[in-house]
Amino acid sequence: MTTRRFSTLEGVDAEERNASFVLTTPSAAGLLTTQNAPLTPEALGAGASLETVALRNRRRSKAARWSSTTQTTASRIAMSLPSSTCAASDTSSLSFSSSSCLEASPRFPLPSELWKHVMSFLSLDAISVRSLLDLMGINACAQMRSLDFSQRRLGACGTRMLAERLRGGACPELDSLNLTACGIGPGGAEALSIAMQTHGLAPSLRVLRLAGNGMGSRGVTVLAKALKGGAGANLRVLDMDGNKANAEGMLLIIEAVSQATCPLLEELSVGHNTLTDKGLVYLAKALVDSKLPHLRRLAIPESAVSTEGIRALARALSLGGGGGLETLDLSDNHLYPQGAEALAIALAQGAVPALRRLILSRNRIYGDGTAALTEALGQGRCPALTWLDLRGNKIGSKGAASVGSLLTRGTCPRLAGLDVGGNYLYAEGTALLASALIQRPQPAMKSLDVEDNAMTAEGAFLLSEAIRRGAVRGLERLNLGRNGIHAEGVGFLMAALAEGSCPRLRSLSLRSNELGPFGFAHVAACFQQGGMKGLESLDLAVNGMSDEPATLLLPILLSPVLLPALRDVDMTFNGLDPTRARCQVLALRGGREGGSHGGREPNMPVVRLERKSSVPIIRRTQSAPASSG
């Protein structure tokens, strides 16, 4: 492979792009690597380094993933200056996620024309982890502070190489390491734990995210050993969510963070593992002993925790442990009414005055548990509460009355999100909730989720009346899916929205409500009145639309005048003919095809038709005409 040098941008054609070459300009500084070629000090240039780099690539195809043959298709671009020019630059952040683009900081001292030329022929998807690790291997990232490999399939092999670089002191100032969903497995966890016990990683590390890596009990155990050895002395965030660890492994992690080895810890996430009551009891003891005085976020969803563990946690909170908690996530466990009542006692005593988010979804607390919780919150001991999630707890009309009572008291003035979906409210429970909203409007509420409650058209009418009266005027997200409201119910709702009752509404879901042709006529009429110009996302899936209502609705959805902010529309599973719909859109656009999937222009919504369709995506251009129907 040859190396060619150019002093200008002229003369670089397609044939030259396959060669490895160096571009040198009087003001060029920095370095880019593509495909799989390892960097060398010679290619980097004396003293050259990066100022700021943010690299994001798509996940590579199976054939192009990590392998021993990554050296075979090397291609390299390096832009270098004498050391006097580049000495002041540094690398502070590298991010390798599943996004579709590569971004380099505009603070690179490069001419804009040079950047345009280089980016025009770089193969962005071909940038490999190996090349980036080689960059670390020559100490070009000595001042890097953040490293994000989330969603990249590093595997055990890639993690071992990364750990080796970190052990060698490649990033001595690294304070954030994100390896979420990288598939590191037990082997990668072992290599990482060794690196954490050296001076190359542990001293400055503050954020460690290892969620969704399938490390199992073996990997969790070795990481617990590293934490006990002092590797977590400066940790502020530890995310071990979803690693398939059993009770023994999770107990070791809890012991590690509870023995004053992580005194500065602010966020702890150990959910989707088998924590069990034993692990939560041990954690509660650590809270009582003030071993985690700075803890602000505790997330233990789906952790096989039952009433016994929740009682221990509530007792610890009542004794002053965890007084600084702002987020408590106990979703998908087994609280039952008894656990909810124990937690309510702690809340009523003002044990967590800073609480902002309380997530108790799918815990089978029923109406009695909900009544206890809302009564405790109604005493005003959690004035900062902004989010309450009670989804899937089968609270029924009794629970709805309790939630309504909480709203009318006004003791949670900052409540911005309420989720009571999947709770068997029916029309009666919806009426109680709507009555509370009318009696005391909630101007701070931005998200209301009442999905899957079988409210029918009667409940939709009552809720629509609350909306029409401005009870939730600041609402940005409304989810009414799976409620069987039919055409009559959606008529009431869209009439209220057409009056501008929710001018900030950005997301509306009417999924699976059996709207039928008449229901879609109501939707079209609302949009024609221009009362929802801020809408960005619309879900109309599974509603029995058929082709005739689609012919009426599509021109309105594609209108930049009626719906200028619309970005995403879901019309799947409605029995539509995608070819007919596509032809209609093409006719509206003067026969012009839309842009490519990767090059979609701004302000161009995506309309999804049928998932199995050969043309599932429709887009409009800025010049698409408005239509009245």
Side-chain angles (χ1 to χ4, degrees):
M1 182 175 295
T2 59
T3 299
R4 300 181 174 91
R5 294 180 179 271
F6 301 90
S7 58
T8 67
L9 299 179
E10 300 176 357
V12 182
D13 54 20
E15 295 180 358
E16 303 292 351
R17 297 174 190 173
N18 295 324
S20 172
F21 58 91
V22 177
L23 292 177
T24 305
T25 64
S27 60
L31 177 145
L32 290 175
T33 61
T34 63
Q35 297 188 14
N36 303 297
L39 295 175
T40 63
E42 292 77 16
L44 182 64
S49 61
L50 295 173
E51 178 183 3
T52 302
V53 179
L55 298 172
R56 298 178 180 174
N57 352 347
R58 294 178 185 172
R59 184 177 298 177
R60 303 172 65 199
S61 62
K62 183 175 181 181
R65 287 181 186 169
W66 192 280
S67 69
S68 60
T69 61
T70 55
Q71 305 283 343
T72 57
T73 58
S75 175
R76 178 190 322 141
I77 300 176
M79 291 160 283
S80 59
L81 266 184
S83 57
S84 60
T85 306
C86 304
S89 60
D90 70 297
T91 301
S92 60
S93 176
L94 285 177
S95 174
F96 319 120
S97 66
S98 57
S99 302
S100 61
C101 63
L102 176 148
E103 299 176 359
S105 169
R107 288 180 288 174
F108 267 95
L110 294 177
S112 58
E113 293 300 322
L114 178 59
W115 268 118
K116 292 179 182 179
H117 181 78
V118 171
M119 301 302 284
S120 68
F121 61 83
L122 274 177
S123 178
L124 305 183
D125 294 336
I127 299 177
S128 70
V129 175
R130 180 63 177 270
S131 295
L132 297 168
L133 292 177
D134 285 334
L135 176 64
M136 297 172 61
I138 57 175
N139 295 323
C141 306
Q143 298 184 29
M144 184 172 64
R145 296 182 179 276
S146 177
L147 183 60
D148 184 359
F149 278 96
S150 57
Q151 309 297 325
R152 293 279 292 182
R153 301 299 297 178
L154 284 178
C157 179
T159 308
R160 289 192 186 101
M161 181 171 287
L162 173 63
E164 181 182 349
R165 298 287 189 264
L166 295 176
R167 286 178 58 192
C171 306
E173 298 185 10
L174 188 71
D175 63 9
S176 177
L177 179 60
N178 189 346
L179 298 177
T180 301
C182 287
I184 68 178
E190 290 177 351
L192 192 61
S193 66
I194 296 174
M196 290 174 62
Q197 298 177 64
T198 66
H199 293 291
L201 179 60
S204 61
L205 193 62
R206 296 188 178 189
V207 178
L208 181 60
R209 301 189 185 276
L210 300 172
N213 276 298
M215 294 185 292
S217 298
R218 175 183 155 198
V220 168
T221 299
V222 295
L223 287 172
K225 181 179 178 181
L227 293 175
K228 288 181 179 180
N234 294 313
L235 271 184
R236 267 69 167 179
V237 177
L238 178 61
D239 187 354
M240 301 288 294
D241 191 272
N243 274 294
K244 303 179 181 179
N246 61 18
E248 182 180 355
M250 292 309 301
L251 183 59
L252 292 174
I253 283 288
I254 297 300
E255 288 178 353
V257 301
S258 303
Q259 294 177 358
T261 57
C262 301
L264 303 177
L265 198 65
E266 298 178 1
E267 297 185 17
L268 176 62
S269 180
V270 290
H272 301 97
N273 295 293
T274 312
L275 180 64
T276 70
D277 290 333
K278 187 175 181 180
L280 188 53
V281 168
Y282 205 100
L283 180 60
K285 185 178 183 299
L287 292 175
V288 173
D289 295 339
S290 298
K291 298 293 181 63
L292 298 169
H294 302 285
L295 193 64
R296 294 188 297 107
R297 181 178 184 271
L298 177 60
I300 49 177
E302 197 174 349
S303 298
V305 172
S306 65
T307 303
E308 180 184 353
I310 296 300
R311 283 175 174 166
L313 177 62
R315 206 176 306 119
L317 294 175
S318 299
L319 294 174
L325 273 179
E326 296 179 2
T327 299
L328 181 59
D329 185 353
L330 300 173
S331 57
D332 295 288
N333 283 295
H334 311 290
L335 268 67
Y336 298 107
Q338 296 83 356
E341 291 167 0
L343 187 60
I345 294 174
L347 296 176
Q349 293 175 353
V352 280
L355 189 66
R356 301 183 62 184
R357 296 176 64 89
L358 181 59
I359 304 173
L360 301 174
S361 56
R362 293 174 293 275
N363 268 295
R364 287 178 273 187
I365 64 176
Y366 306 114
D368 293 336
T370 304
L373 283 169
T374 53
E375 178 64 26
L377 293 172
Q379 296 182 24
R381 299 298 183 91
C382 298
L385 190 70
T386 60
W387 191 273
L388 179 61
D389 187 347
L390 298 173
R391 170 178 286 269
N393 277 297
K394 302 180 181 179
I395 66 176
S397 57
K398 181 178 181 179
S402 301
V403 174
S405 176
L406 173 64
L407 295 176
T408 55
R409 289 188 183 187
T411 53
C412 298
R414 301 181 184 178
L415 191 65
L418 177 63
D419 189 343
V420 289
N423 272 308
Y424 300 95
L425 299 186
Y426 303 112
E428 180 184 0
T430 306
L432 294 170
L433 193 61
S435 176
L437 290 173
I438 294 174
Q439 183 177 347
R440 192 180 187 97
Q442 302 292 317
M445 186 168 292
K446 296 182 179 180
S447 176
L448 178 60
D449 194 327
V450 288
E451 180 186 26
D452 195 17
N453 275 300
M455 67 173 62
T456 68
E458 180 183 355
F461 166 73
L462 297 169
L463 189 60
S464 300
E465 184 63 18
I467 292 174
R468 188 184 66 80
R469 296 189 184 188
V472 284
R473 191 166 181 81
L475 205 64
E476 297 179 1
R477 177 181 176 271
L478 178 61
N479 187 354
L480 293 173
R482 299 182 178 89
N483 272 299
I485 64 177
H486 302 285
E488 183 182 6
V490 80
F492 296 133
L493 175 66
M494 300 312 290
L497 293 175
E499 296 179 7
S501 303
C502 296
R504 301 178 183 177
L505 193 66
R506 296 188 302 173
S507 175
L508 175 63
S509 176
L510 298 171
R511 169 181 288 261
S512 191
N513 270 301
E514 304 176 24
L515 302 184
F518 292 104
F520 283 103
H522 291 305
V523 174
C526 172
F527 291 155
Q528 283 180 311
Q529 294 182 38
M532 300 179 66
K533 290 191 175 183
L535 194 67
E536 297 178 4
S537 176
L538 177 64
D539 190 348
L540 298 173
V542 202
N543 272 302
M545 179 182 294
S546 75
D547 291 322
E548 287 73 17
T551 303
L552 171 69
L553 189 58
L554 278 172
I556 300 173
L557 297 178
L558 298 176
S559 169
V561 176
L562 298 177
L563 295 169
L566 194 62
R567 299 292 180 273
D568 182 82
V569 182
D570 191 348
M571 297 169 63
T572 55
F573 303 110
N574 273 302
L576 301 180
D577 182 352
T579 303
R580 176 177 175 177
R582 182 172 181 272
C583 291
Q584 180 186 0
V585 174
L586 288 175
L588 290 170
R589 298 163 65 181
R592 294 188 301 272
E593 291 282 355
S596 63
H597 183 71
R600 185 161 53 92
E601 299 178 8
N603 301 324
M604 188 180 293
V606 174
V607 182
R608 287 170 289 187
L609 299 175
E610 296 296 336
R611 296 191 184 279
K612 296 183 179 180
S613 166
S614 59
V615 283
I617 297 176
I618 299 177
R619 306 179 179 86
R620 67 162 163 81
T621 63
Q622 290 285 357
S623 60
S627 174
S628 60

